[in-house]
Structures are given as C-alpha cells and as structure tokens.
C-alpha cells in the first residue's frame, strides 16, 4: 500500500513537472513569431527610411538648384527695375495732368484726348505687369507668374502685329502723321502738350510746319487775317537763330515770316516741312530703330521663357511635396 501510495505520487509529480515545462515550447514559438514580426517591421522601416531619404535628397536637389535660384532672382531684379521705371512714368503723367489742371471742371470733359493720359496709362500698365512678375518670382506664386507670362505673351503678340501692320501700311502712316501734325499746329496755343511736342520736333529736325512753313496759316493766331501781333508769323522754334546775340530767346523772330518769299525767308526760318524731316530721320536711323526693337522683343521673349521655366519648376516642386 505504501508502494501504491508512492506510485501515484510519482506520476503526479511527473505530471506536475511536465505541466511546468510544457509551456516552454509555445513560448519559444511566440518569441520566434515576435522576432520575425520585429524583423519585418525593421526591414519595412529601413525601406521607408530609404524612400524618405531619396525623397528628401530629391527635394534638396530641387531646392538648391543653382539655375533655378539664378533665374528666380534674375526675373525678380529685372521686374523690379521696370517697376521703378513704370512708377516714374506714372508719376510723370499724373504730375502733368495736375500741373495743367486737367481735372478741373471745365477741362474734365476733354481729358480723354489729353496726351498725358497715354503716359499715365502706360505707366500704370507697366507698373502692374512688372510688379506681378516681381512678387510672383520672389514668392514663387504660381498664379501671379501665370498672369505675368500671359500678359507678356499678349504684349509680344501685339508688338509683332503692330510691326507687321506698320511695314505693310507705310503709305497710310505718312498721311496719319500729316493729319496729326496739322491738328497739333491748329491747337498749338490751346494744348501745352501738343505745343511742347511740336516745338521739340521743329527744333531738333530744323523744320517748320507739316509740308512747309506756310502751313501755320491753319492756326487762328498765326493766320494772316488774325488781328494780333502773331498774324502771318510762325513760332520761334521755326527760326534759324532764335537766340538774340546768342543769349536771349527772341520769341518774336518769326513774326511776319509768312509774308516773305522763300528766298528772303530762308535766312530767317526753316523752309522745309517736318514730315520730310521725320522721314529722313527714320531712314537714317533705320538700323538703330530695328536693333532697339529686336533687343526689346528679345528681352520680352527671354523673360517669357524664364517665367515658363519657373512655372514648371514650381509645379515639379509641389508634386514632390
């Protein structure tokens, strides 16, 4: 009986030993599975880390591109210069309108025909256009650069069309210039801007009138039937030597010049008209005019190409991010 009591105890103790040691096998399996899972996660993290490093390296390559930085700040500085120029033109136009009191009630109705309004419009358009390009470049603003490139493209198209029309309508341009010159002469005393333009043309080209000096009879003050002292005369800018003794401006040097015959008048005033002088000046400076036009057009095309490159760069940068 003692043996039998000991025998079950022996098996019972053996079972207890097995129950204590048996969980070691599933624990080992669990550790192996955890190790495998950790290894998989580590490998995935390494892959993701490598992808992030490649993406960051690609981003750094884009961010620190020397060409992109150069184009960006070149466009910024160029537009900044033209923005300042546009502000100067705009200020000059506004100053001209204010100094002539064009906003006065009695003159506000004719402000649409004021030549200074062209200066104001040109300055405003130039300032707005270049400012959008300037801010768009430094801020890498896609919308502003898109607007700037579209405006430059329209400007280039308009200039090309105008150049083609000017070349194909050379005869009509001459008649337009003559009509404009006659209008400026008729309003010589009434419009300070037209007076300034007419005086500059006659002084620099050494001419008088549109076709000849007798065209000044169109002006009511220089008409021979006018009652004033200017009757049958011409402006002082038509005179060969308007300076008396080389120092004092003689505003009366052209008085009565229309009564003189051409032989007598040639020693006092310029006989030739300004239309011929303008034609000769254009012919003599045709090469310079063409060169300046090509350079201006080339700068605009270059600006358009740079803006297009920056737009593509900004799009690529956003795609990477």
């Amino acid at each position: 009986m003692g043996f039998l009591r000991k025998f079950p105890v022996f098996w019972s103790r053996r079972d207890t030993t097995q129950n204590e040691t048996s969980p070691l096998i599933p624990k080992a399996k669990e550790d192996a599975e955890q190790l495998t899972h950790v290894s998989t996660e580590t490998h995935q993290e390494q892959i993701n880390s490598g992808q992030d490093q490649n993406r960051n390296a690609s981003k750094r390559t884009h961010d620190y591109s020397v060409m992109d930085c150069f184009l960006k700040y070149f466009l910024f500085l160029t537009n900044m210069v033209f923005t300042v120029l546009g502000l100067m033109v705009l200020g000059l136009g506004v100053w001209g309108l204010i100094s002539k009191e064009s906003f006065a009630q009695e003159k506000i109705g004719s402000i649409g025909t004021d030549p200074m309004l062209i200066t104001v419009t040109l300055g405003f358009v130039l300032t707005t256009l270049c400012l959008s390009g300037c801010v768009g470049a430094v801020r890498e603003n896609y919308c502003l650069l898109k607007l700037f490139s579209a405006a430059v493209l329209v400007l280039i198209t308009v200039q090309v069309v105008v150049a083609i029309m000017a070349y194909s309508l050379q005869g009509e341009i001459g008649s337009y210039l003559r009509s404009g010159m006659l209008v400026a002469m008729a309003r010589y005393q009434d419009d300070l801007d037209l007076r300034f333009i007419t005086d500059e043309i006659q002084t620099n080209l050494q001419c008088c009138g549109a076709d000849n000096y007798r065209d000044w009879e169109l002006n009511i003050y220089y008409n021979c039937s006018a009652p004033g002292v200017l009757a049958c005369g011409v402006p002082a800018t038509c005179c060969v030597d308007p300076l008396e003794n080389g120092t004092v401006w003689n505003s009366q040097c052209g008085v009565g010049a229309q009564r003189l015959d051409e032989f007598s008048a040639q020693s006092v005033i310029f006989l030739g008209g300004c239309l011929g002088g303008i034609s000769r000046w254009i012919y003599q400076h045709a090469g310079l005019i063409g060169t300046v036009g090509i350079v201006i057009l080339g700068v605009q095309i270059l600006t358009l190409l740079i803006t297009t490159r920056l737009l593509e760069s900004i799009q690529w940068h956003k795609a990477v991010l």
Side-chain angles (χ1 to χ4, degrees):
M1 294 297 292
F3 176 77
L4 291 175
R5 288 196 187 100
K6 292 180 180 179
F7 187 77
V9 173
F10 173 78
W11 285 105
S12 175
R13 189 177 298 169
R14 183 179 178 182
D15 292 339
T16 304
T17 305
Q18 287 180 354
N19 291 334
E20 291 177 354
T21 57
S22 59
L24 293 178
I25 296 177
K27 185 177 181 181
K29 291 182 179 181
E30 183 179 351
D31 292 340
E33 290 177 357
Q34 292 179 354
L35 181 61
T36 304
H37 181 68
V38 171
S39 300
T40 304
E41 289 182 350
T42 304
H43 181 67
Q44 186 65 31
E45 289 178 357
Q46 291 176 352
I47 294 176
N48 294 335
S49 178
Q51 291 178 351
D52 292 339
Q53 290 178 357
N54 293 333
R55 188 180 296 110
N56 292 332
S58 177
K59 190 191 303 182
R60 286 194 300 269
T61 302
H62 172 75
D63 289 342
Y64 294 97
S65 174
V66 177
M67 180 59 67
D68 288 340
C69 290
F70 172 76
L71 294 178
K72 172 183 175 180
Y73 288 105
F74 176 79
L75 185 64
F76 167 74
L77 292 175
T78 303
N79 282 283
M80 176 62 72
V81 172
F82 282 100
T83 299
V84 174
L85 180 61
L87 288 174
M88 293 175 60
V89 174
L90 179 61
L92 178 63
V94 173
W95 173 81
L97 291 175
I98 294 176
S99 64
K100 295 192 308 176
E101 299 180 351
S102 299
F103 298 104
Q105 186 175 1
E106 62 274 8
K107 295 182 180 180
I108 193 69
S110 60
I111 193 173
T113 59
D114 197 318
M116 294 304 294
L117 191 62
I118 300 177
T119 305
V120 173
T121 304
L122 179 61
F124 177 77
V125 172
L126 184 62
T127 301
T128 305
L129 176 62
C130 295
L131 188 61
S132 64
C134 182
V135 177
V138 73
R139 299 292 298 174
E140 297 182 2
N141 189 295
Y142 185 84
C143 294
L144 285 178
L145 287 178
K146 196 71 175 178
L147 176 64
F148 174 73
S149 62
V152 172
L153 181 60
V154 171
L155 186 61
I156 292 174
T157 304
V158 170
Q159 289 175 343
V160 172
V161 171
V162 169
I164 295 174
M165 292 180 61
Y167 182 79
S168 59
L169 301 175
Q170 297 182 26
E172 287 78 359
I173 291 177
S175 63
Y176 293 149
L177 285 176
R178 186 177 186 277
S179 300
M181 188 74 184
L182 293 177
V183 170
M185 292 168 60
R187 299 174 56 186
Y188 183 77
Q189 272 83 11
D190 302 327
D191 194 309
L192 296 178
D193 295 321
L194 294 178
R195 180 173 184 170
F196 173 78
I197 294 173
T198 303
D199 287 341
E200 287 296 312
I201 292 175
Q202 292 188 149
T203 301
N204 294 320
L205 297 181
Q206 297 183 350
C207 58
C208 187
D211 298 315
N212 55 61
Y213 66 99
R214 297 190 184 277
D215 291 335
W216 278 103
E217 193 170 354
L218 294 172
N219 187 282
I220 59 175
Y221 299 98
Y222 292 111
N223 190 282
C224 291
S225 60
V229 68
L230 299 178
C232 245
V234 294
T237 52
C238 287
C239 296
V240 175
D241 186 16
L243 295 179
E244 190 176 298
N245 298 326
T247 57
V248 181
W249 180 266
N250 182 12
S251 60
Q252 304 296 322
C253 62
V255 173
Q258 294 185 49
R259 297 191 182 97
L260 303 175
D261 59 78
E262 293 187 359
F263 181 78
S264 301
Q266 65 181 352
S267 60
V268 181
I269 62 174
F270 300 111
L271 302 182
C274 293
L275 292 179
I278 292 174
S279 299
R280 287 190 298 270
W281 186 89
I282 294 176
Y283 179 78
Q284 293 173 357
H285 299 84
L288 178 61
I289 295 174
T291 302
V292 172
I294 292 174
V295 169
I296 293 176
L297 188 62
V299 169
Q300 293 173 352
I301 294 175
L302 179 61
T303 302
L304 181 61
L305 294 176
I306 292 175
T307 307
T308 304
R309 168 64 186 270
L310 285 179
L311 287 172
E312 293 176 353
S313 180
I314 292 173
Q315 278 187 328
W316 186 88
H317 180 63
K318 289 182 177 180
V320 170
L321 292 177

